[in-house]
Amino acid sequence: MPHVLLIEDDVSVRDGMELVLRRHGYDVGTAATGEEGLALLAGPAGAAADLAVLDLMLPGIDGFEVCRRLRAAGSTVPVIMLTARGDDGDIVRGLEAGADDYVVKPVTAPVLEARIRAALRRAEPVRSAGGEDHAGLVIDRAAITVAKRGAPIALPPTELRLLLELSASPARVFSREQLLRSVWDHDFLGDSRLVDAAVGRLRAKIEDVPARPRYVQTVRGFGYRFGPV
């Protein structure tokens, strides 16, 4: 039974989502503030959490800061952020802070549950034989680990899936739509912001100079490819 932590200050929204998720077979924990959510994720409940659903507009520490602190602490728990306004600026800020996906409130039960299922699938290990050394970036597909010059790199599931997908076919150019389908399972969405934000976060962790990427390269007008090429 997957454990989902729901961080939402609106009691009616929180209770409604909790009821829906429990009916779909999820174990649900709840928090009403960012501080409470961070405390839970830092304790035993956090170790058990398979995913967090995080409202951006929280009292005190908002959802942006919660997500930033989680990622800064090395947490790789998948995060789906909730935004009430659907504002592009909020969505981009949330994705840049480390969220894996987003939904706009009010959200229907089927949409929320579909996004959670997709995020949990991304978190499942995908193993294949052999390790690969890409000019100092070592990707071990059997152990599902990434290291650079001998130093391990912790990647959240979405960024790891993205790296595995790109590096499986070096020099091949992937469109954003192809990556949305293969990594996010979002053939129904077509939202390139998810891809661009994840690429930016991945580059910050694996590139020497993120502004001049060696591994995850942009092919203008087409998408991304994995190098060095």
Side-chain angles (χ1 to χ4, degrees):
M1 181 183 295
H3 180 76
V4 175
L5 178 60
L6 177 58
I7 308 173
E8 165 65 64
D9 65 310
D10 187 309
V11 176
S12 60
V13 172
R14 188 173 67 244
D15 288 350
M17 287 185 173
E18 181 180 3
L19 180 61
V20 165
L21 293 177
R22 288 191 184 280
R23 283 178 174 172
H24 281 85
Y26 295 96
D27 179 32
V28 183
T30 63
T33 66
E35 291 87 344
E36 185 182 354
L38 283 170
L40 286 172
L41 286 166
D50 296 296
L51 180 138
V53 178
L54 171 66
D55 185 28
L56 291 183
M57 298 297 111
L58 295 169
I61 299 176
D62 63 20
F64 302 107
E65 184 61 22
V66 170
C67 205
R68 278 191 289 267
R69 292 190 188 187
L70 279 177
R71 297 307 184 221
S75 173
T76 59
V77 65
V79 174
I80 297 177
M81 62 181 183
L82 299 172
T83 174
R85 294 174 292 183
D87 181 83
D88 283 355
D90 281 353
I91 291 168
V92 171
R93 282 179 63 202
L95 293 172
E96 289 177 345
D100 299 274
D101 200 355
Y102 73 92
V103 292
V104 178
K105 294 190 294 186
V107 58
T108 64
V111 168
L112 178 62
E113 211 269 324
R115 298 295 182 86
I116 289 174
R117 277 190 283 107
L120 290 174
R121 281 196 298 271
R122 292 196 297 274
E124 293 172 356
V126 177
R127 292 183 169 86
S128 57
E132 308 158 5
D133 189 338
H134 300 276
L137 184 70
V138 177
I139 302 170
D140 189 329
R141 295 178 183 273
I144 314 296
T145 59
V146 179
K148 186 172 180 183
R149 301 188 187 99
I153 300 174
L155 296 175
T158 297
E159 293 163 40
L160 179 57
R161 289 265 180 172
L162 177 61
L163 179 60
L164 293 173
E165 182 73 14
L166 290 169
S167 63
S169 304
R172 174 187 169 186
V173 178
F174 291 82
S175 70
R176 290 170 174 82
E177 289 72 23
Q178 287 172 320
L179 292 171
L180 277 168
R181 287 193 297 270
S182 59
V183 177
W184 279 264
D185 229 0
H186 276 198
D187 54 335
F188 54 88
L189 181 62
D191 190 344
S192 63
R193 290 173 296 194
L194 292 168
V195 180
D196 294 340
V199 165
R201 299 194 307 264
L202 180 58
R203 283 174 172 167
K205 293 167 185 171
I206 68 172
E207 303 284 358
D208 289 329
V209 183
R212 296 196 298 276
R214 184 182 189 190
Y215 300 108
V216 181
Q217 304 171 353
T218 300
V219 181
R220 295 195 180 279
F222 293 94
Y224 297 102
R225 70 182 175 194
F226 186 80
V229 177

mmCIF file of all heavy atoms in Angstrom, residues 102-134:
data_model
loop_
_atom_site.group_PDB
_atom_site.id
_atom_site.type_symbol
_atom_site.label_atom_id
_atom_site.label_comp_id
_atom_site.label_asym_id
_atom_site.label_seq_id
_atom_site.Cartn_x
_atom_site.Cartn_y
_atom_site.Cartn_z
ATOM 1 N N TYR A 102 2.740 18.667 -11.394
ATOM 2 C CA TYR A 102 1.812 19.600 -10.751
ATOM 3 C C TYR A 102 0.397 19.324 -11.231
ATOM 4 O O TYR A 102 0.182 18.764 -12.306
ATOM 5 C CB TYR A 102 2.191 21.054 -11.058
ATOM 6 C CG TYR A 102 1.880 21.486 -12.476
ATOM 7 C CD1 TYR A 102 0.665 22.091 -12.794
ATOM 8 C CD2 TYR A 102 2.799 21.272 -13.495
ATOM 9 C CE1 TYR A 102 0.381 22.468 -14.089
ATOM 10 C CE2 TYR A 102 2.526 21.652 -14.795
ATOM 11 C CZ TYR A 102 1.310 22.255 -15.086
ATOM 12 O OH TYR A 102 1.027 22.620 -16.382
ATOM 13 N N VAL A 103 -0.568 19.732 -10.409
ATOM 14 C CA VAL A 103 -1.973 19.744 -10.805
ATOM 15 C C VAL A 103 -2.580 21.051 -10.332
ATOM 16 O O VAL A 103 -2.153 21.626 -9.331
ATOM 17 C CB VAL A 103 -2.768 18.542 -10.223
ATOM 18 C CG1 VAL A 103 -2.322 17.235 -10.846
ATOM 19 C CG2 VAL A 103 -2.631 18.481 -8.722
ATOM 20 N N VAL A 104 -3.551 21.519 -11.097
ATOM 21 C CA VAL A 104 -4.211 22.785 -10.782
ATOM 22 C C VAL A 104 -5.521 22.500 -10.063
ATOM 23 O O VAL A 104 -6.330 21.695 -10.516
ATOM 24 C CB VAL A 104 -4.463 23.596 -12.071
ATOM 25 C CG1 VAL A 104 -5.209 24.893 -11.750
ATOM 26 C CG2 VAL A 104 -3.147 23.908 -12.774
ATOM 27 N N LYS A 105 -5.706 23.142 -8.901
ATOM 28 C CA LYS A 105 -6.972 23.009 -8.167
ATOM 29 C C LYS A 105 -8.026 23.910 -8.797
ATOM 30 O O LYS A 105 -7.696 25.008 -9.257
ATOM 31 C CB LYS A 105 -6.770 23.381 -6.695
ATOM 32 C CG LYS A 105 -5.857 22.438 -5.943
ATOM 33 C CD LYS A 105 -5.878 22.708 -4.434
ATOM 34 C CE LYS A 105 -5.305 24.043 -4.058
ATOM 35 N NZ LYS A 105 -5.200 24.245 -2.615
ATOM 36 N N PRO A 106 -9.300 23.506 -8.754
ATOM 37 C CA PRO A 106 -9.777 22.232 -8.201
ATOM 38 C C PRO A 106 -9.431 21.071 -9.130
ATOM 39 O O PRO A 106 -9.572 21.188 -10.347
ATOM 40 C CB PRO A 106 -11.288 22.438 -8.101
ATOM 41 C CG PRO A 106 -11.596 23.436 -9.181
ATOM 42 C CD PRO A 106 -10.410 24.349 -9.246
ATOM 43 N N VAL A 107 -8.986 19.977 -8.528
ATOM 44 C CA VAL A 107 -8.564 18.820 -9.310
ATOM 45 C C VAL A 107 -9.557 17.685 -9.094
ATOM 46 O O VAL A 107 -10.048 17.471 -7.986
ATOM 47 C CB VAL A 107 -7.140 18.375 -8.900
ATOM 48 C CG1 VAL A 107 -7.059 18.050 -7.423
ATOM 49 C CG2 VAL A 107 -6.671 17.186 -9.729
ATOM 50 N N THR A 108 -9.877 16.980 -10.169
ATOM 51 C CA THR A 108 -10.797 15.853 -10.049
ATOM 52 C C THR A 108 -10.050 14.634 -9.513
ATOM 53 O O THR A 108 -8.828 14.512 -9.681
ATOM 54 C CB THR A 108 -11.427 15.505 -11.404
ATOM 55 O OG1 THR A 108 -10.394 15.065 -12.295
ATOM 56 C CG2 THR A 108 -12.143 16.708 -11.997
ATOM 57 N N ALA A 109 -10.787 13.752 -8.890
ATOM 58 C CA ALA A 109 -10.179 12.544 -8.321
ATOM 59 C C ALA A 109 -9.452 11.707 -9.371
ATOM 60 O O ALA A 109 -8.323 11.260 -9.125
ATOM 61 C CB ALA A 109 -11.249 11.711 -7.616
ATOM 62 N N PRO A 110 -10.021 11.478 -10.568
ATOM 63 C CA PRO A 110 -9.296 10.667 -11.557
ATOM 64 C C PRO A 110 -7.973 11.285 -11.988
ATOM 65 O O PRO A 110 -6.987 10.572 -12.191
ATOM 66 C CB PRO A 110 -10.283 10.586 -12.740
ATOM 67 C CG PRO A 110 -11.625 10.800 -12.124
ATOM 68 C CD PRO A 110 -11.402 11.781 -11.013
ATOM 69 N N VAL A 111 -7.944 12.614 -12.143
ATOM 70 C CA VAL A 111 -6.703 13.279 -12.551
ATOM 71 C C VAL A 111 -5.645 13.157 -11.464
ATOM 72 O O VAL A 111 -4.486 12.807 -11.734
ATOM 73 C CB VAL A 111 -6.962 14.763 -12.890
ATOM 74 C CG1 VAL A 111 -5.642 15.521 -13.037
ATOM 75 C CG2 VAL A 111 -7.773 14.874 -14.170
ATOM 76 N N LEU A 112 -6.011 13.436 -10.217
ATOM 77 C CA LEU A 112 -5.052 13.344 -9.124
ATOM 78 C C LEU A 112 -4.513 11.927 -8.997
ATOM 79 O O LEU A 112 -3.307 11.713 -8.865
ATOM 80 C CB LEU A 112 -5.712 13.772 -7.809
ATOM 81 C CG LEU A 112 -4.822 13.671 -6.559
ATOM 82 C CD1 LEU A 112 -3.607 14.581 -6.673
ATOM 83 C CD2 LEU A 112 -5.629 14.002 -5.298
ATOM 84 N N GLU A 113 -5.410 10.953 -9.048
ATOM 85 C CA GLU A 113 -4.971 9.565 -8.873
ATOM 86 C C GLU A 113 -4.097 9.118 -10.037
ATOM 87 O O GLU A 113 -3.113 8.402 -9.862
ATOM 88 C CB GLU A 113 -6.200 8.666 -8.753
ATOM 89 C CG GLU A 113 -5.973 7.446 -7.864
ATOM 90 C CD GLU A 113 -5.487 6.252 -8.668
ATOM 91 O OE1 GLU A 113 -5.938 6.101 -9.814
ATOM 92 O OE2 GLU A 113 -4.660 5.492 -8.153
ATOM 93 N N ALA A 114 -4.391 9.589 -11.244
ATOM 94 C CA ALA A 114 -3.572 9.237 -12.402
ATOM 95 C C ALA A 114 -2.174 9.825 -12.281
ATOM 96 O O ALA A 114 -1.170 9.162 -12.599
ATOM 97 C CB ALA A 114 -4.240 9.719 -13.691
ATOM 98 N N ARG A 115 -2.084 11.068 -11.802
ATOM 99 C CA ARG A 115 -0.767 11.699 -11.638
ATOM 100 C C ARG A 115 0.039 10.985 -10.557
ATOM 101 O O ARG A 115 1.251 10.819 -10.672
ATOM 102 C CB ARG A 115 -0.928 13.173 -11.279
ATOM 103 C CG ARG A 115 -1.621 14.008 -12.335
ATOM 104 C CD ARG A 115 -0.786 14.094 -13.617
ATOM 105 N NE ARG A 115 -1.436 14.920 -14.600
ATOM 106 C CZ ARG A 115 -1.316 16.233 -14.682
ATOM 107 N NH1 ARG A 115 -0.553 16.880 -13.825
ATOM 108 N NH2 ARG A 115 -1.950 16.911 -15.626
ATOM 109 N N ILE A 116 -0.627 10.575 -9.483
ATOM 110 C CA ILE A 116 0.069 9.857 -8.416
ATOM 111 C C ILE A 116 0.571 8.512 -8.928
ATOM 112 O O ILE A 116 1.723 8.127 -8.667
ATOM 113 C CB ILE A 116 -0.852 9.685 -7.190
ATOM 114 C CG1 ILE A 116 -1.047 11.038 -6.496
ATOM 115 C CG2 ILE A 116 -0.267 8.666 -6.208
ATOM 116 C CD1 ILE A 116 -2.048 11.012 -5.359
ATOM 117 N N ARG A 117 -0.267 7.787 -9.656
ATOM 118 C CA ARG A 117 0.158 6.496 -10.194
ATOM 119 C C ARG A 117 1.355 6.655 -11.124
ATOM 120 O O ARG A 117 2.305 5.861 -11.083
ATOM 121 C CB ARG A 117 -0.997 5.820 -10.940
ATOM 122 C CG ARG A 117 -1.965 5.066 -10.029
ATOM 123 C CD ARG A 117 -2.941 4.211 -10.817
ATOM 124 N NE ARG A 117 -3.998 5.001 -11.414
ATOM 125 C CZ ARG A 117 -4.106 5.287 -12.701
ATOM 126 N NH1 ARG A 117 -3.199 4.824 -13.545
ATOM 127 N NH2 ARG A 117 -5.102 6.021 -13.163
ATOM 128 N N ALA A 118 1.328 7.699 -11.963
ATOM 129 C CA ALA A 118 2.443 7.928 -12.885
ATOM 130 C C ALA A 118 3.726 8.254 -12.120
ATOM 131 O O ALA A 118 4.806 7.766 -12.458
ATOM 132 C CB ALA A 118 2.101 9.056 -13.853
ATOM 133 N N ALA A 119 3.616 9.075 -11.071
ATOM 134 C CA ALA A 119 4.797 9.433 -10.272
ATOM 135 C C ALA A 119 5.355 8.220 -9.550
ATOM 136 O O ALA A 119 6.580 8.055 -9.444
ATOM 137 C CB ALA A 119 4.438 10.532 -9.270
ATOM 138 N N LEU A 120 4.496 7.360 -9.042
ATOM 139 C CA LEU A 120 4.963 6.158 -8.352
ATOM 140 C C LEU A 120 5.615 5.184 -9.330
ATOM 141 O O LEU A 120 6.588 4.506 -8.984
ATOM 142 C CB LEU A 120 3.792 5.481 -7.626
ATOM 143 C CG LEU A 120 3.252 6.249 -6.416
ATOM 144 C CD1 LEU A 120 2.006 5.554 -5.868
ATOM 145 C CD2 LEU A 120 4.307 6.370 -5.319
ATOM 146 N N ARG A 121 5.111 5.128 -10.561
ATOM 147 C CA ARG A 121 5.760 4.273 -11.569
ATOM 148 C C ARG A 121 7.160 4.777 -11.872
ATOM 149 O O ARG A 121 8.088 3.985 -12.056
ATOM 150 C CB ARG A 121 4.926 4.224 -12.854
ATOM 151 C CG ARG A 121 3.741 3.280 -12.794
ATOM 152 C CD ARG A 121 3.200 2.983 -14.183
ATOM 153 N NE ARG A 121 2.710 4.171 -14.857
ATOM 154 C CZ ARG A 121 1.456 4.618 -14.758
ATOM 155 N NH1 ARG A 121 0.589 3.984 -13.986
ATOM 156 N NH2 ARG A 121 1.079 5.691 -15.407
ATOM 157 N N ARG A 122 7.316 6.087 -11.939
ATOM 158 C CA ARG A 122 8.648 6.644 -12.200
ATOM 159 C C ARG A 122 9.622 6.312 -11.084
ATOM 160 O O ARG A 122 10.834 6.248 -11.302
ATOM 161 C CB ARG A 122 8.574 8.161 -12.381
ATOM 162 C CG ARG A 122 7.864 8.608 -13.635
ATOM 163 C CD ARG A 122 8.145 10.062 -13.961
ATOM 164 N NE ARG A 122 7.681 10.995 -12.962
ATOM 165 C CZ ARG A 122 6.457 11.490 -12.900
ATOM 166 N NH1 ARG A 122 5.544 11.114 -13.790
ATOM 167 N NH2 ARG A 122 6.108 12.360 -11.976
ATOM 168 N N ALA A 123 9.108 6.127 -9.879
ATOM 169 C CA ALA A 123 9.968 5.837 -8.732
ATOM 170 C C ALA A 123 10.363 4.368 -8.642
ATOM 171 O O ALA A 123 11.228 4.016 -7.855
ATOM 172 C CB ALA A 123 9.269 6.260 -7.436
ATOM 173 N N GLU A 124 9.731 3.516 -9.438
ATOM 174 C CA GLU A 124 10.068 2.091 -9.413
ATOM 175 C C GLU A 124 11.405 1.873 -10.106
ATOM 176 O O GLU A 124 11.674 2.460 -11.157
ATOM 177 C CB GLU A 124 8.984 1.270 -10.123
ATOM 178 C CG GLU A 124 7.647 1.271 -9.406
ATOM 179 C CD GLU A 124 6.564 0.608 -10.227
ATOM 180 O OE1 GLU A 124 6.862 0.211 -11.391
ATOM 181 O OE2 GLU A 124 5.437 0.494 -9.736
ATOM 182 N N PRO A 125 12.281 1.022 -9.534
ATOM 183 C CA PRO A 125 13.580 0.764 -10.164
ATOM 184 C C PRO A 125 13.408 0.139 -11.548
ATOM 185 O O PRO A 125 12.559 -0.720 -11.750
ATOM 186 C CB PRO A 125 14.264 -0.213 -9.199
ATOM 187 C CG PRO A 125 13.534 -0.067 -7.911
ATOM 188 C CD PRO A 125 12.126 0.303 -8.269
ATOM 189 N N VAL A 126 14.218 0.607 -12.486
ATOM 190 C CA VAL A 126 14.261 0.003 -13.818
ATOM 191 C C VAL A 126 15.691 -0.450 -14.040
ATOM 192 O O VAL A 126 16.583 0.348 -14.278
ATOM 193 C CB VAL A 126 13.852 1.016 -14.911
ATOM 194 C CG1 VAL A 126 13.978 0.381 -16.287
ATOM 195 C CG2 VAL A 126 12.435 1.491 -14.680
ATOM 196 N N ARG A 127 15.920 -1.736 -13.915
ATOM 197 C CA ARG A 127 17.285 -2.262 -13.952
ATOM 198 C C ARG A 127 17.565 -2.976 -15.275
ATOM 199 O O ARG A 127 16.725 -3.686 -15.795
ATOM 200 C CB ARG A 127 17.531 -3.225 -12.781
ATOM 201 C CG ARG A 127 17.525 -2.527 -11.435
ATOM 202 C CD ARG A 127 17.849 -3.489 -10.311
ATOM 203 N NE ARG A 127 18.100 -2.791 -9.069
ATOM 204 C CZ ARG A 127 17.156 -2.431 -8.222
ATOM 205 N NH1 ARG A 127 15.904 -2.698 -8.496
ATOM 206 N NH2 ARG A 127 17.460 -1.785 -7.114
ATOM 207 N N SER A 128 18.762 -2.766 -15.770
ATOM 208 C CA SER A 128 19.269 -3.525 -16.901
ATOM 209 C C SER A 128 20.750 -3.738 -16.682
ATOM 210 O O SER A 128 21.371 -3.044 -15.874
ATOM 211 C CB SER A 128 19.009 -2.787 -18.224
ATOM 212 O OG SER A 128 19.595 -1.509 -18.191
ATOM 213 N N ALA A 129 21.316 -4.680 -17.376
ATOM 214 C CA ALA A 129 22.691 -5.078 -17.086
ATOM 215 C C ALA A 129 23.677 -4.001 -17.489
ATOM 216 O O ALA A 129 23.479 -3.274 -18.462
ATOM 217 C CB ALA A 129 23.004 -6.377 -17.831
ATOM 218 N N GLY A 130 24.766 -3.922 -16.713
ATOM 219 C CA GLY A 130 25.925 -3.154 -17.133
ATOM 220 C C GLY A 130 25.988 -1.736 -16.621
ATOM 221 O O GLY A 130 24.979 -1.081 -16.421
ATOM 222 N N GLY A 131 27.233 -1.285 -16.412
ATOM 223 C CA GLY A 131 27.504 0.092 -16.063
ATOM 224 C C GLY A 131 28.116 0.803 -17.257
ATOM 225 O O GLY A 131 28.750 0.186 -18.114
ATOM 226 N N GLU A 132 27.930 2.095 -17.346
ATOM 227 C CA GLU A 132 28.402 2.866 -18.491
ATOM 228 C C GLU A 132 29.204 4.058 -17.985
ATOM 229 O O GLU A 132 28.769 4.756 -17.072
ATOM 230 C CB GLU A 132 27.216 3.375 -19.320
ATOM 231 C CG GLU A 132 26.219 2.302 -19.712
ATOM 232 C CD GLU A 132 24.853 2.876 -20.027
ATOM 233 O OE1 GLU A 132 24.714 4.117 -20.033
ATOM 234 O OE2 GLU A 132 23.930 2.081 -20.246
ATOM 235 N N ASP A 133 30.350 4.298 -18.597
ATOM 236 C CA ASP A 133 31.168 5.456 -18.262
ATOM 237 C C ASP A 133 31.103 6.429 -19.428
ATOM 238 O O ASP A 133 31.627 6.165 -20.512
ATOM 239 C CB ASP A 133 32.616 5.038 -18.006
ATOM 240 C CG ASP A 133 33.454 6.180 -17.439
ATOM 241 O OD1 ASP A 133 33.063 7.344 -17.630
ATOM 242 O OD2 ASP A 133 34.484 5.910 -16.822
ATOM 243 N N HIS A 134 30.415 7.536 -19.198
ATOM 244 C CA HIS A 134 30.264 8.567 -20.221
ATOM 245 C C HIS A 134 31.180 9.737 -19.868
ATOM 246 O O HIS A 134 30.746 10.711 -19.251
ATOM 247 C CB HIS A 134 28.817 9.033 -20.311
ATOM 248 C CG HIS A 134 27.849 7.948 -20.668
ATOM 249 N ND1 HIS A 134 27.595 7.565 -21.964
ATOM 250 C CD2 HIS A 134 27.079 7.156 -19.883
ATOM 251 C CE1 HIS A 134 26.702 6.591 -21.974
ATOM 252 N NE2 HIS A 134 26.372 6.335 -20.722
#
